[in-house]
Amino acid sequence: MSSGPGAPVFMDAALLDAVSAAAGASPRRRKNHNFHPRDNAVCHRLLNALEPDSYVPPHRHLDAEKDETFVVLRGRIGVVCFDHTGRVSAARVLEPAAAVGVTLPAGTWHTLVALEAGTVVLEAKAGPFVPLTPDERARWAPAEGEAGAGAFLEGLRALFR
């Protein structure tokens, strides 16, 4: 059996444990494990491990091809969608025992909130990777690492209590 290019990569407990451990050790408290070979690939598939104290600033993807799909493999995640003023328009818990995933249409303001340690989601969206533009960043929410980000995250977490 080949172990070179083209070998299968199983999304098993060992891989989820490894990416969760990397997220726990990361200053951002989250870590990606990419299955796509490069940032300019036309399809991005990745594991995204998030710890409860990781702040993902609300954002959107304006490219009409960049719908995003998240499927929870382990843990619990809160998905929050907003209108253009920052008012919450939808909030839902995703977990393997209930609603397991969501597809967010391009242009939807959104964020993810890890509700359990060791949370891992499978994320898929069109490539290539392009950093968010100013119009894709929520001006009504603090940026990651900015003063107020912790309080904003706590407010999001409160939606799921």
Side-chain angles (χ1 to χ4, degrees):
M1 179 182 267
S2 171
S3 62
V9 177
F10 292 97
M11 288 181 252
D12 57 14
L15 180 57
L16 299 185
D17 289 346
V19 73
S20 289
S26 167
R28 296 177 75 200
R29 307 292 287 156
R30 63 181 181 271
K31 187 69 175 172
N32 290 353
H33 177 91
N34 294 345
F35 297 113
H36 53 281
R38 58 197 174 283
D39 281 349
N40 66 349
V42 297
C43 180
H44 285 203
R45 300 153 341 273
L46 57 132
L47 297 179
N48 196 339
L50 304 99
E51 291 300 309
D53 53 348
S54 178
Y55 173 58
V56 179
H59 63 282
R60 63 182 176 174
H61 304 282
L62 291 175
D63 181 335
E65 298 299 317
K66 291 221 184 239
D67 293 354
E68 257 179 309
T69 297
F70 298 97
V71 177
V72 177
L73 303 177
R74 178 188 282 172
R76 295 175 68 233
I77 197 107
V79 176
V80 184
C81 298
F82 308 87
D83 70 13
H84 70 282
T85 67
R87 190 176 62 89
V88 173
S89 59
R92 180 94 183 253
V93 173
L94 304 178
E95 57 189 326
V100 299
V102 64
T103 294
L104 301 170
T108 303
W109 290 107
H110 65 281
T111 189
L112 300 177
V113 181
L115 302 174
E116 254 181 36
T119 295
V120 181
V121 299
L122 174 66
E123 179 179 339
K125 63 185 168 199
F129 171 77
V130 178
L132 294 173
T133 67
D135 286 341
E136 293 175 312
R137 295 180 186 277
R139 291 186 176 103
W140 37 261
E144 187 175 0
E146 208 171 71
F152 191 86
L153 176 59
E154 272 309 305
L156 294 173
R157 247 194 228 116
L159 294 169
F160 303 100
R161 292 190 185 120

